Amino acid sequence: MSKSVKEQMQEMKEESLSCEDCEKLVRTRTQVVFGAGNPESSLVFVGEAPGENEDIQGKPFVGRAGQLLDEILKETGLLRDEIWITNIVKCRPTKLNESTGRLSNRAPLVGEIKNCQKWLEPELSLIDPTVIVCLGGPASSAIIHKGFKMTQERGQWFTDTIYAPFVIAAYHPAYVLRMHGASFDKSRQLLVDDIAAAKQKAIDEKGQPKMTLF
Ligand code: URA
C-alpha cells in the first residue's frame, strides 16, 4: 500500500532533522524547525526562518510573531491544525550581538535560502496546495519572483509560480509588530485582509482538480 501524505511528510521531516548543509546554521541551532500543521491542507503559509523561540520549541511561528499570526488566524476563522505553516529556511540564522554577548536573529543568507530549497520544494510539492501566503519579503522573493517589492506587490494574486496555482504576499507579522499607533492598525488590517482573501480563494477553488479540504 502506498504511504499517506502524512506518513511521507513525517519521513521528510525526520530526514531534514539531520541536515548539515549550512555550516553557520548548524553551529548555533538547537534543532531544525520543519513545517507543521495539516499536510493535506490546500492553504499554506510560508515565513522566513525560525527565531529564538522556534529554535527552542522546534515549531514554526511560536514566538511573538506567531502569537500575532494566531490571533489573526482566529479572526479569519482558521485553525493551525487545518493549515500548513513553514519557512523558506528551517534553521535559525543568528549573529553574535557584541554588546550583550548573546545571539540575535539575522536575515537568512542567499546561500542558506538556496540550500534549504532542498526541503521547501519537496515539502510544497507533497502538499500540492491551491493557495500559498508568503509572509514577508524573503519568502515572497523565494516563491513569487526575485526582487519582490512588498510595497508594490502585496495583496495581489500571482498565478504563474511553480509552487501553487494562487500565491499572495502579505506583511510578515514581525514587521507589523514593529509598527506603532495608526501604522500598526493599518498594517495589521492589511495582514488580516490578505489572509482572509487567501482563505476565500481556497474555498472558492474547492472542487478544482487536486484540491483537498482544509
Ligand atoms: N518568523 C518567521 O519567519 N518564521 C518563524 O517561524 C518565526 C518567526
Side-chain angles (χ1 to χ4, degrees):
M1 224 177 66
S2 58
K3 288 177 188 155
S4 70
V5 169
K6 281 198 173 96
E7 286 166 334
Q8 291 178 68
M9 193 61 93
Q10 186 56 30
E11 283 183 9
M12 200 186 295
K13 174 178 175 174
E14 278 161 24
E15 204 191 319
S16 78
L17 300 184
S18 56
C19 179
E20 298 199 333
D21 287 1
C22 300
E23 207 189 310
K24 283 188 187 154
L25 301 185
V26 173
R27 253 190 265 142
T28 54
R29 78 176 179 211
T30 305
Q31 57 193 315
V32 172
V33 180
F34 199 72
N38 176 6
E40 291 180 301
S41 179
S42 57
L43 181 53
V44 168
F45 289 73
V46 184
E48 186 175 321
E52 187 176 14
N53 292 291
E54 290 78 17
D55 175 68
I56 294 167
Q57 293 185 45
K59 293 191 196 114
F61 282 97
V62 290
R64 279 187 70 222
Q67 282 163 18
L68 177 60
L69 183 62
D70 278 342
E71 219 179 273
I72 294 176
L73 290 175
K74 204 168 166 199
E75 245 170 88
T76 48
L78 286 166
L79 296 170
R80 267 195 192 229
D81 288 353
E82 57 190 7
I83 58 173
W84 185 259
I85 304 183
T86 191
N87 285 301
I88 54 169
V89 168
K90 290 170 173 48
C91 297
R92 180 191 180 203
T94 58
K95 59 175 187 258
L96 184 64
N97 183 324
E98 301 286 356
S99 52
T100 62
R102 291 192 55 203
L103 293 176
S104 57
N105 295 339
R106 63 160 169 83
L109 304 173
V110 174
E112 292 165 348
I113 296 173
K114 230 182 227 168
N115 283 351
C116 218
Q117 277 174 352
K118 155 180 176 177
W119 301 112
L120 183 67
E121 284 184 0
E123 181 185 20
L124 293 178
S125 133
L126 178 59
I127 299 171
D128 193 15
T130 304
V131 177
I132 294 178
V133 181
C134 301
L135 296 170
S140 306
S141 287
I143 288 187
I144 300 173
H145 65 76
K146 270 194 205 145
F148 184 91
K149 294 267 181 301
M150 191 55 79
T151 43
Q152 291 154 29
E153 298 178 285
R154 66 135 284 286
Q156 296 175 23
W157 286 110
F158 291 86
T159 54
D160 55 356
T161 80
I162 57 165
Y163 299 103
F166 300 95
V167 180
I168 193 168
Y171 286 147
H172 195 290
Y175 167 81
V176 174
L177 286 171
R178 288 196 292 274
M179 304 283 126
H180 298 282
S183 305
F184 172 83
D185 294 342
K186 200 173 155 204
S187 54
R188 186 188 188 284
Q189 190 55 49
L190 287 175
L191 180 54
V192 171
D193 294 348
D194 292 339
I195 292 180
K199 178 189 174 185
Q200 195 54 48
K201 180 68 83 181
I203 290 169
D204 292 347
E205 293 296 316
K206 211 178 264 184
Q208 298 295 321
K210 290 188 184 166
M211 273 286 302
T212 48
L213 302 176
F214 280 138

